[in-house]
Amino acid sequence: MTLDVVILAAGQGTRMRSSLPKVLHPIAGKPMLAHVLDTARLLTPSGMHVVVQPGADQVRRALAGDITWVEQREQLGTAHAVAQAMPGIGDDATVLVLFGDVPLVNPQTIRQCVDHAEAGHLSLVTAILRDPAELGRIVREDGAIRRIVEYKDASTEQRGIREINSGIMAAPSSLLSAFFATMRNDNAQGEFYLTDIVEFALCNGVRVEGVVTDNEMEVAGVNNRVQLAEVERAKQREIAEALMRGGVTLADPARLDVRGNVRAGRDVFIDVNAVLIGEVELGDGVSIGPNVMITDSKLGAGVRVNANSVIEGAVLSAQCTIGPFARIRPGTELAENVHIGNFVETKKARIGKGSKANHLAYLGDTDIGAGCNIGAGTITCNYDGFAKHRTSIGDDVFVGSNATLVAPVELDDGAFVAAGSTITTKVENGDLAVGRGKQRNIKGWTPPHRRQAK
Ligand code: UD1
Ligand code: CA
């Protein structure tokens, strides 16, 4: 028996008031629809059919891969939407229906739902909510599910029911095909309701199984940006809890945002307002200060990132210290125990073991050896207005404060650069380069504003 997953995503998403299709709005940095697809993949289905509006190029482009795109020309209802996918699904398949705008679906719940359908039943994921709002209500008699009533069609009494239809269901494809052949749209919204399949199944002797979840968020749909934020918070809470269980201390789990994947070692500490984006790896004992943003980077054991630093596309070896107020840009590779201090920017900079740039510097397109000291205010002038050039610095080089290194230029091992120098030619091993105007003191100087008074 094969499993086919049908994901509905043809709705307009009008209430988002957005030019971005609803299902592409991100949760934890990933489009809602990608969350649904990734969860569905855990069931190793033989097909994933995503129902979209005609065109939907943006959605198709954003989510390439193992997907069969199905067009629904007019949005005539959820049953009509699923029916569009049926030509691509075999007669003896099991079909799982998910919604593209219900991103936190739980793999265990949908597994259970599919298990019931594989046994020949119709299976629905339901939830008991404090505020069931305008969701479809589950009508039971003697405990058994009898039908789903849409809010707009429900009586006052039915509106009082707190068990709702999540929209997630699984059924044998033969049951779906038979239902689609007879479905009608004579209801309050003039739509073909997938929910009508419950009564159809019961009339045809098919058992209806409910999988009731107690987690509201796994069935939470996103129709507007208020709900988007609620789902985002729930997802962030889940990520924070997983990190804490894995040995990370969070100063406040509500003030961490992960938009990607974080792999963390033991005894990592993350202070408030950290934003971690893309693929981030934090070694054992890493400490992240408040208000830090880290994107696609790898931090070795014991790295300390002080407050208000921004790190992107970098590899920082063990025991480096960064910031406060440092900006580490893509292509930065720091060897062990490098110190990058406040108001230092690095880009495509490979810096050797134990080297330090503690204050106010721009180090771009440069190789710096081990044991160097880069003085405050040092600038690698990597751009001549046309092309970028590299600055190459050996081991144990001392660059005095406010040096201007005009690339391409080379400082050999053990070179010295005097403070305030502009360096345009190579400095050999052990030499001191002094490239600045000579100081001249004028004796007994009278400033102009005092001269007239005399
Ligand atoms: C549906 C259910 C309701 C359930 C609720 C849960 C029906 C009739 N009602 O209601 O019982 O409580 O979901 O959120 O099924 N879609 C299409 N094509 C269409 C219509 C919808 O692809 O023609 C997609 C939408 O993009 C969305 C999903 O199906 O992802 C649900 O559609 P929506 O209109 O939001 O259904 P509800 O009226 O909320
Ligand atoms: Ca909805």
Side-chain angles (χ1 to χ4, degrees):
M1 197 181 284
T2 60
L3 173 65
D4 284 90
V5 181
V6 177
I7 300 171
L8 304 191
Q12 297 283 1
T14 325
R15 283 168 288 171
M16 292 299 281
R17 299 185 183 279
S18 177
S19 50
L20 186 68
K22 176 162 82 171
V23 293
L24 292 188
H25 279 261
I27 296 292
K30 190 166 82 175
M32 274 193 262
L33 181 54
H35 283 274
V36 179
L37 289 162
D38 286 350
T39 306
R41 277 188 194 103
L42 298 175
L43 305 183
T44 56
S46 51
M48 293 204 291
H49 313 257
V50 181
V51 182
V52 291
Q53 287 182 20
D57 296 335
Q58 239 181 313
V59 179
R60 290 176 195 234
R61 268 200 308 275
L63 296 147
D66 49 344
I67 299 166
T68 305
W69 298 100
V70 177
E71 287 193 355
Q72 185 190 22
R73 288 214 174 71
E74 277 180 283
Q75 278 64 68
L76 301 179
T78 47
H80 180 260
V82 176
Q84 307 313 301
M86 294 313 285
I89 295 175
D91 294 338
D92 60 351
T94 298
V95 178
L96 170 68
V97 178
L98 301 174
F99 287 178
D101 57 0
V102 180
L104 302 188
V105 289
N106 178 286
Q108 278 95 42
T109 306
I110 57 177
R111 177 75 257 171
Q112 273 184 50
C113 192
V114 167
D115 286 346
H116 288 307
E118 284 178 347
H121 314 314
L122 169 66
S123 180
L124 314 172
V125 177
T126 76
I128 296 161
L129 304 187
R130 271 168 296 128
D131 173 19
E134 301 199 352
L135 293 165
R137 301 301 202 265
I138 303 291
V139 178
R140 289 181 184 258
E141 280 166 26
D142 302 325
I145 295 175
R146 280 287 160 241
R147 79 182 81 87
I148 300 171
V149 186
E150 288 307 291
Y151 181 82
K152 291 196 174 105
D153 302 289
S155 64
T156 315
E157 191 193 340
Q158 287 168 331
R159 287 179 181 185
I161 298 171
R162 285 170 49 234
E163 184 179 10
I164 60 90
N165 172 35
S166 71
I168 296 166
M169 71 167 67
S173 64
S174 54
L175 177 70
L176 286 164
S177 301
F179 167 67
F180 295 144
T182 64
M183 65 183 177
R184 300 156 59 97
N185 62 353
D186 47 355
N187 51 52
Q189 300 183 84
E191 285 182 12
F192 295 101
Y193 290 167
L194 186 57
T195 46
D196 288 347
I197 196 173
V198 174
E199 284 173 288
F200 179 83
L202 293 172
C203 283
N204 288 277
V206 176
R207 221 162 91 187
V208 179
E209 294 280 356
V211 177
V212 189
T213 169
D214 55 4
N215 177 1
E216 292 196 14
M217 292 321 289
E218 68 171 273
V219 298
V222 174
N223 295 308
N224 58 43
R225 296 191 202 224
V226 175
Q227 292 167 336
L228 182 71
E230 284 165 4
V231 169
E232 176 74 26
R233 281 307 103 204
K235 184 67 189 172
Q236 291 300 338
R237 178 75 209 184
E238 190 184 305
I239 294 169
E241 279 178 14
L243 286 172
M244 291 187 287
R245 286 183 206 290
V248 175
T249 296
L250 299 178
D252 181 357
R255 281 184 287 171
L256 167 69
D257 278 73
V258 175
R259 300 179 193 144
N261 299 307
V262 174
R263 276 192 293 157
R266 285 169 170 257
D267 297 312
V268 168
F269 172 74
I270 304 180
D271 213 324
V272 297
N273 299 333
V275 180
L276 308 179
I277 300 170
E279 299 298 319
V280 174
E281 209 178 306
L282 307 173
D284 290 342
V286 164
S287 171
I288 310 282
N291 309 322
V292 164
M293 178 162 142
I294 303 177
T295 308
D296 293 323
S297 294
K298 202 171 154 178
L299 279 59
V303 167
R304 184 181 179 85
V305 181
N306 293 307
N308 302 299
S309 296
V310 176
I311 299 174
E312 182 180 358
V315 178
L316 315 184
S317 305
Q319 308 301 332
C320 287
T321 68
I322 307 295
F325 297 99
R327 178 159 185 223
I328 308 298
R329 292 173 53 202
T332 296
E333 287 174 33
L334 306 185
E336 277 171 40
N337 206 26
V338 167
H339 292 213
I340 300 294
N342 42 239
F343 308 109
V344 174
E345 174 180 349
T346 65
K347 185 213 73 174
K348 286 189 186 158
R350 283 193 291 266
I351 304 182
K353 201 167 172 175
S355 287
K356 298 185 167 87
N358 276 328
H359 332 265
L360 301 153
Y362 172 63
L363 305 174
D365 299 300
T366 180
D367 292 286
I368 298 175
C372 294
N373 187 76
I374 308 294
T378 296
I379 304 291
T380 51
C381 307
N382 59 332
Y383 187 52
D384 58 13
F386 181 69
K388 298 277 170 72
H389 305 282
R390 289 195 80 83
T391 299
S392 188
I393 300 177
D395 294 336
D396 302 312
V397 171
F398 181 92
V399 178
S401 295
N402 208 30
T404 303
L405 310 175
V406 183
V409 70
E410 224 179 301
L411 310 180
D412 263 358
D413 291 349
F416 294 85
V417 171
S421 292
T422 298
I423 303 299
T424 54
T425 58
K426 180 170 178 174
V427 183
E428 306 279 354
N429 181 344
D431 290 357
L432 168 68
V434 187
R436 64 190 180 208
K438 212 173 158 78
Q439 181 175 335
R440 181 164 72 103
N441 293 354
I442 298 169
K443 289 282 177 200
W445 172 253
T446 309
H449 65 277
R450 284 206 210 128
R451 278 182 219 158
Q452 279 175 340
K454 274 190 183 169

